[in-house]
Amino acid sequence: MQKRTNAQPPVKFTGIKSKEVESTAAGIKAVTSAVKHVMDEMGLPRAVKALNAMNQKDGFDCSGCAWPDPDGHRSGLGEYCENGAKAIAEEATTKKVDPAFFAKHSVEEIGSWSDYRIGKSGRVTQPMMVKQGETHYSPISWTEAFKLIGKELNQLASPNEAVFYTSGRTSNEAAYMYQLFARQFGTNNLPDCSNMCHESSGAGLSQTVGIGKGSVTLEDFEHAELVLVIGQNPGTNHPRMLSALEDTKKNGGKIISINPLKEAGLMNFKHPQKPKHILGKGVQLTDLFLQVRINGDVALLKAFMKLLLEAEAKMPGTILDQEFISNKTLGFEELRTDLNNYAFDELVEQSGIPEAQVREAAQMLIERKKIIICWAMGLTQHKNGVHNIREVVNLLLMKGSIGKKGAGTCPVRGHSNVQGDRTMGIWEKPKPQFLNNLQREFDFAPPHAHGFDVVEAIEAMHANTAKVFIGMGGNFISATPDTEITAEALRNCSLTVHVSTKLNRSHVVHGKTALILPCITRSEKDVQKTGTQFVTVEDSMGVVHASEGKLKPLSNQLLSEPAIVARMAQSTLMPDASTDWAGFETNYDLVRDKIEATIPGFKDFNTRVRLPGGFYLPNNSRVGDFTPTPTGKANFTINKPSEVKLKEGEFAMMTIRTHDQFNTTIYGLHDRYRGIYNERRVILMNAKDIAQQGLKANDVVDIICEDDGHKRVAEKFIVYPYDIPVGCSATYFPEANVLVSLKNKAEISNTPASKLIVVRVEKSTE
Ligand SMILES: Nc1nc2c(c(=O)[nH]1)N[C@H]1C(S)=C(S)[C@@H](COP(=O)(O)OP(=O)(O)OC[C@H]3O[C@@H](n4cnc5c(=O)[nH]c(N)nc54)[C@H](O)[C@@H]3O)O[C@H]1N2
Ligand SMILES: Nc1nc2c(c(=O)[nH]1)N[C@H]1C(S)=C(S)[C@@H](COP(=O)(O)OP(=O)(O)OC[C@H]3O[C@@H](n4cnc5c(=O)[nH]c(N)nc54)[C@H](O)[C@@H]3O)O[C@H]1N2
Ligand code: SF4
Ligand SMILES: [Mo]
């Protein structure tokens, strides 16, 4: 058994309760839940101010997910959802983690708390440091902290011994400055949360349609005849997407959901801001629910495509968009030939879905021309994650459903600015053109060798070839796979630095010296020498807009993220006339001018971003231009179905989010829509599997994964019978991350395959 190292949340049961699974998302319970969270964290006046400004054109961007705001009218009642309200409650909390808190609680003690308790402790109020041999964090001045960072970085044998991680909440301005700093220092080691998230989408889409972003806009949902939602739980993770799906339904469109779980939000929706909805029955969203086996999607999509080809053969020229295929694409014949290698019955069997339902769905595809496909982690976090995405593109290309109104790709992004951070150059594999632009504008020679992504960064720190870790937001230890290995990796470092808002586990699983640098949040006012600043973000549909905080910062010792980057850079790099770090800190317009000079699509940035609602970035696939692909056309591709074969007693386990968390930030201990209360250490299993294993509901099991010959154990999970396909199971992230081997990752994108871990369960002995 592993020893406990504080890298994982402790096993402490809190008295599980179950209620019926809910079939409707939002509604009055969402409103009451939101109000409770907001009131508990910040009290009435701050809450009213915060909620009134959130997602308004002159306010700040919700720090929840990346779902876009409507282009036109915004509701006076507020443009946010239950989870947006929870996100603001969590970040605008008035609870403080100050020096007295750190004097009272040792690093060791904080590590023994649950993630929920750690997060609920509150906001860090001033810079803190802990050194090897010390048991507690103590205050350090900003000046000393920056000096230390400069010294440690400059002591490294090579700039490639430093890792600059980014989480997707960072603004465009901070992200741009951060990547510039890393590159001027001399490395492309810029891993980010996207490596664990939509990297497979970026890789799959770039190759096939010439841009790593989705093609649809919000308006397209009003025109779509059919929307497929695959591997995504929007009711919890992108709640306002349900309004877009409602628009599709209002205009006669249909919705197919493909998921191992019948997620509440996919089935029925009561708009929390429409009184008629709240009191009435709500709107049924999904027309056809396909309960796919975990990683059965490529098989299912191939089955669809075979049926489409069959129908086209019967009525040539009516089902597929032949004109689009011949003018705009390459590789269709190869795909058609490859599909002959698969027997329809076997594909259906592999998908786990009854044949009649597969045929019904295919019929809906056959009869419609304007199709949107939405997806998230259920497709990307698989060994064949890139194949999943490319197979989605194959289907859309066959129907000519990219680059026209009411149709296209919709990878639904996670963090509120994860897409923007990538646009700003947070990427370990930068394009040469971008580096050349930096070289021209800032007069330095950027490194061209690719840097580390998340998995490679962990491996390098573990092997002691990377020694300084800097995290611009995020919670690296809890978000990453292979928790115990990652903990060793971080502890090997000579210095770990976290730019953070709230206390998290990464602060207590640290390097020989560790710093916490506290920053202001999105919702707080950012006043610099030249006046109040705003920042900018990019949503999931490529709209760039301003975000200006309104609340008073919780402590007068906080700095903004741009200020922190500027000062790190000044204390590390030689003074250099072509980069005005001090100017960047005092006036973010100067950063935006540089963004405009080096990144396409940002012409007149400072002017256009001041227009209410912002502006769309150019998107070739949105307008049906596929020339940026390697072949100059949209590419059909040959993709692999799942290769996982389960042995007797083995299960495919996915790690998913509850309704009460934002990634590693735990808002509460319930998963309301799934009817699970008070407990996060649960494993959802099919009742037949539970019986077959000689188990019963509420038994406590250890979950074991041995897929690379190394035994990983997640201790003590409660068996919870659930409507999930036989052979499949689910646990929550991050409790189960210890089971995800660093080697269990997607081909091409290197994304940890956290949606398919091969496990067995054993009754817990203690
Ligand atoms: N409230 C809230 N909002 C969030 C977040 C949060 O934690 N809380 N996180 C944000 C971030 S960073 C992200 S990336 C997104 C994540 O948003 P989602 O991707 O919706 O999040 P997950 O909980 O990982 O859920 C994945 C869904 O895929 C399904 N699934 C798993 N495996 C498969 C499969 O093999 N095939 C199919 N078809 N389905 C599968 C699961 O049953 C689940 O419904 O949400 C963002 N928004
Ligand atoms: N097993 C498993 N693992 C997963 C996933 C999964 O589905 N299953 N999902 C993956 C995905 S999709 C993602 S995106 C990653 C998420 O990985 P991360 O982005 O690293 O994790 P978060 O939990 O979002 O980070 C939360 C922390 O960010 C800090 N923070 C919050 N707001 C701000 C801010 O405005 N500025 C700064 N500087 N800091 C801030 C707070 O201190 C908070 O504790 O996890 C991945 N890990
Ligand atoms: S849908 Fe996402 S961005 Fe919109 S209010 Fe909800 S959490 Fe915030
Ligand atoms: Mo994500």
Side-chain angles (χ1 to χ4, degrees):
M1 200 77 19
Q2 298 131 310
K3 60 181 184 345
R4 300 216 62 86
T5 63
N6 283 343
Q8 298 175 52
V11 179
K12 221 181 256 165
F13 291 125
T14 34
I16 192 163
K17 285 212 177 78
S18 33
K19 293 192 186 164
E20 240 173 79
V21 176
E22 298 196 2
S23 58
T24 299
I28 194 73
K29 281 193 198 158
V31 179
T32 47
S33 156
V35 168
K36 181 177 179 325
H37 275 268
V38 171
M39 295 306 291
D40 284 357
E41 295 290 340
M42 51 180 165
L44 194 60
R46 197 167 158 95
V48 170
K49 196 163 179 187
L51 290 173
N52 278 344
M54 188 147 96
N55 288 342
Q56 296 298 332
K57 287 179 179 168
D58 57 351
F60 59 89
D61 183 54
C62 170
S63 49
C65 73
W67 190 255
D69 304 311
D71 288 337
H73 174 74
R74 307 248 167 119
S75 162
L77 267 174
E79 281 290 346
Y80 52 87
C81 68
E82 174 190 357
N83 278 327
K86 286 181 188 169
I88 183 67
E90 199 72 20
E91 78 160 43
T93 182
T94 46
K95 293 179 191 147
K96 292 182 182 174
V97 174
D98 55 12
F101 170 96
F102 283 110
K104 187 161 169 216
H105 305 290
S106 70
V107 168
E108 182 68 29
E109 184 194 346
I110 297 169
S112 72
W113 298 348
S114 69
D115 289 325
Y116 176 60
R117 177 163 177 204
I118 293 178
K120 287 288 173 203
S121 302
R123 290 270 302 280
V124 184
T125 57
Q126 65 184 78
M128 303 297 296
M129 177 175 67
V130 66
K131 283 203 291 237
Q132 197 163 30
E134 293 176 351
T135 52
H136 291 66
Y137 270 96
S138 53
I140 178 174
S141 71
W142 280 106
T143 313
E144 286 305 314
F146 290 123
K147 235 195 249 168
L148 178 69
I149 293 171
K151 185 170 140 254
E152 287 282 342
L153 284 173
N154 285 316
Q155 267 174 9
L156 295 174
S158 147
N160 293 324
E161 290 185 353
V163 168
F164 296 87
Y165 174 72
T166 313
S167 164
R169 204 170 274 186
T170 301
S171 65
N172 287 337
E173 289 73 9
Y176 184 81
M177 291 167 67
Y178 190 57
Q179 63 81 32
L180 182 65
F181 166 43
R183 293 190 167 115
Q184 290 193 343
F185 177 63
T187 184
N188 283 316
N189 286 345
L190 284 154
D192 66 349
C193 66
S194 196
N195 294 144
M196 300 180 269
C197 184
H198 266 293
E199 194 72 59
S200 304
S201 306
L205 291 171
S206 305
Q207 182 197 353
T208 53
V209 295
I211 183 168
K213 304 177 181 181
S215 74
V216 300
T217 66
L218 261 188
E219 204 198 324
D220 284 315
F221 282 85
E222 293 170 26
H223 301 277
E225 295 165 344
L226 180 61
V227 178
L228 270 61
V229 183
I230 317 184
Q232 195 204 342
N233 178 18
T236 286
N237 297 315
H238 306 92
R240 285 198 306 158
M241 176 174 158
L242 303 184
S243 309
L245 294 175
E246 191 193 353
D247 288 341
T248 303
K249 294 294 301 254
K250 237 185 336 211
N251 296 328
K254 298 277 178 196
I255 295 168
I256 300 177
S257 302
I258 303 174
N259 200 305
L261 305 179
K262 213 180 232 180
E263 304 285 22
L266 289 171
M267 310 317 286
N268 193 296
F269 169 51
K270 289 185 180 178
H271 200 305
Q273 281 147 7
K274 290 186 188 161
K276 253 206 230 146
H277 258 217
I278 290 190
L279 301 175
K281 281 208 304 266
V283 195
Q284 197 205 327
L285 292 179
T286 292
D287 296 282
L288 181 61
F289 169 64
L290 305 180
Q291 192 163 27
V292 71
R293 264 197 203 119
I294 293 176
N295 208 12
D297 304 275
V298 169
L300 177 66
L301 292 164
K302 284 195 192 300
F304 288 163
M305 289 191 279
K306 280 178 88 79
L307 293 174
L308 289 178
L309 287 173
E310 235 177 73
E312 174 75 6
K314 281 189 199 139
M315 291 193 291
T318 59
I319 311 301
L320 306 187
D321 188 338
Q322 295 291 0
E323 196 187 319
F324 178 91
I325 293 173
S326 49
N327 291 341
K328 300 254 181 179
T329 73
L330 284 178
F332 178 60
E333 281 314 315
E334 287 84 344
L335 173 66
R336 188 206 291 272
T337 311
D338 183 68
L339 283 170
N340 290 333
N341 296 329
Y342 298 90
F344 178 74
D345 293 349
E346 281 171 27
L347 292 172
V348 170
E349 157 65 29
Q350 224 190 329
S351 77
I353 298 162
E355 182 181 332
Q357 286 185 4
V358 176
R359 288 188 182 278
E360 190 183 341
Q363 193 56 36
M364 290 164 79
L365 287 160
I366 285 169
E367 287 165 8
R368 288 170 181 80
K369 293 193 183 335
K370 291 191 278 180
I371 301 162
I372 294 177
I373 304 187
C374 307
W375 71 87
M377 299 304 100
L379 287 192
T380 62
Q381 295 175 334
H382 280 294
K383 266 196 177 144
N384 62 344
V386 178
H387 295 248
N388 273 332
I389 308 315
R390 294 192 310 210
E391 205 71 328
V392 161
V393 173
N394 280 343
L395 181 60
L396 290 171
L397 291 179
M398 271 188 176
K399 296 290 292 180
S401 255
I402 305 188
K404 68 181 185 201
K405 215 180 199 176
T409 53
C410 185
V412 186
R413 303 277 161 181
H415 266 299
S416 52
N417 196 39
V418 62
Q419 186 159 313
D421 291 348
R422 269 296 162 91
T423 307
M424 292 300 114
I426 301 289
W427 198 22
E428 73 284 356
K429 300 185 191 74
K431 294 242 173 74
Q433 184 59 52
F434 172 63
L435 296 178
N436 294 341
N437 293 350
L438 290 181
Q439 178 152 13
R440 188 196 62 231
E441 199 57 35
F442 297 100
D443 196 22
F444 76 111
H448 278 254
H450 288 175
F452 299 138
D453 61 20
V454 162
V455 168
E456 291 161 345
I458 296 168
E459 286 165 347
M461 291 188 285
H462 199 254
N464 243 320
T465 50
K467 297 177 176 143
V468 171
F469 173 93
I470 301 183
M472 181 52 67
N475 182 2
F476 197 78
I477 183 64
S478 298
T480 50
D482 237 345
T483 312
E484 293 299 335
I485 304 278
T486 304
E488 286 170 16
L490 288 167
R491 287 180 169 133
N492 273 347
C493 288
S494 56
L495 175 69
T496 50
V497 180
H498 286 93
V499 180
S500 305
T501 51
K502 300 199 73 175
L503 189 68
N504 67 42
R505 190 167 297 281
S506 293
H507 302 141
V508 294
V509 180
H510 58 72
K512 298 192 173 79
T513 301
L515 289 169
I516 311 175
L517 306 182
C519 62
I520 58 167
T521 62
R522 280 275 174 82
S523 47
E524 287 172 340
K525 211 172 160 93
D526 183 353
V527 183
Q528 301 294 343
K529 276 193 195 132
T530 62
T532 304
Q533 306 294 309
F534 66 86
V535 292
T536 63
V537 291
E538 174 185 343
D539 65 34
S540 206
M541 293 177 184
V543 178
V544 177
H545 63 89
S547 171
E548 185 177 323
K550 301 288 179 198
L551 304 178
K552 183 168 175 265
L554 195 64
S555 143
N556 59 12
Q557 299 220 38
L558 305 176
L559 290 182
S560 74
E561 289 180 350
I564 292 173
V565 181
R567 295 188 198 187
M568 279 201 285
Q570 285 166 294
S571 63
T572 307
L573 306 170
M574 298 289 281
D576 160 21
S578 61
T579 314
D580 182 9
W581 291 107
F584 288 169
E585 172 176 342
T586 51
N587 181 358
Y588 302 170
D589 277 355
L590 301 180
V591 185
R592 287 187 282 269
D593 285 340
K594 293 296 183 188
I595 294 172
E596 174 175 344
T598 49
I599 302 178
F602 285 88
K603 195 165 179 314
D604 298 328
F605 190 12
N606 271 310
T607 312
R608 286 197 296 157
V609 84
R610 285 178 161 82
L611 302 174
F615 60 93
Y616 278 92
L617 286 175
N619 182 312
N620 61 282
S621 71
R622 182 168 295 159
V623 293
D625 165 17
F626 304 111
T627 49
T629 70
T631 63
K633 297 248 174 167
N635 293 303
F636 283 101
T637 48
I638 309 288
N639 300 304
K640 284 192 289 193
S642 180
E643 287 175 345
V644 176
K645 302 264 176 295
L646 297 172
K647 294 195 224 80
E648 180 72 32
E650 284 182 343
F651 297 91
M653 186 183 85
M654 56 182 180
T655 54
I656 55 175
R657 293 156 169 79
T658 68
H659 191 62
D660 232 0
Q661 70 184 87
F662 191 92
N663 298 342
T664 69
T665 300
I666 311 302
Y667 298 146
L669 300 175
H670 311 317
D671 195 2
R672 192 175 82 230
Y673 289 161
R674 301 194 184 106
I676 303 168
Y677 286 75
N678 283 351
E679 190 51 72
R680 296 180 49 85
R681 293 188 84 87
V682 290
I683 175 163
L684 277 48
M685 294 172 74
N686 186 292
K688 282 191 193 136
D689 287 328
I690 295 175
Q692 228 235 335
Q693 294 297 303
L695 296 167
K696 54 183 188 329
N698 288 332
D699 274 355
V700 176
V701 293
D702 293 337
I703 311 176
I704 298 150
C705 170
E706 286 179 294
D707 70 359
D708 64 353
H710 178 95
K711 185 171 175 182
R712 292 171 175 78
V713 185
E715 291 170 60
K716 297 205 169 96
F717 281 69
I718 298 169
V719 171
Y720 198 91
Y722 204 82
D723 180 6
I724 186 169
V726 167
C728 296
S729 61
T731 47
Y732 298 137
F733 143 57
E735 283 80 356
N737 284 35
V738 65
L739 294 167
V740 188
S741 155
L742 277 180
K743 299 200 173 64
N744 184 17
K745 58 186 184 175
E747 291 164 25
I748 308 167
S749 67
N750 239 10
T751 295
S754 353
K755 291 292 185 273
L756 203 174
I757 309 155
V758 176
V759 298
R760 56 193 172 78
V761 291
E762 268 176 19
K763 209 157 174 185
S764 190
T765 44
E766 296 151 53

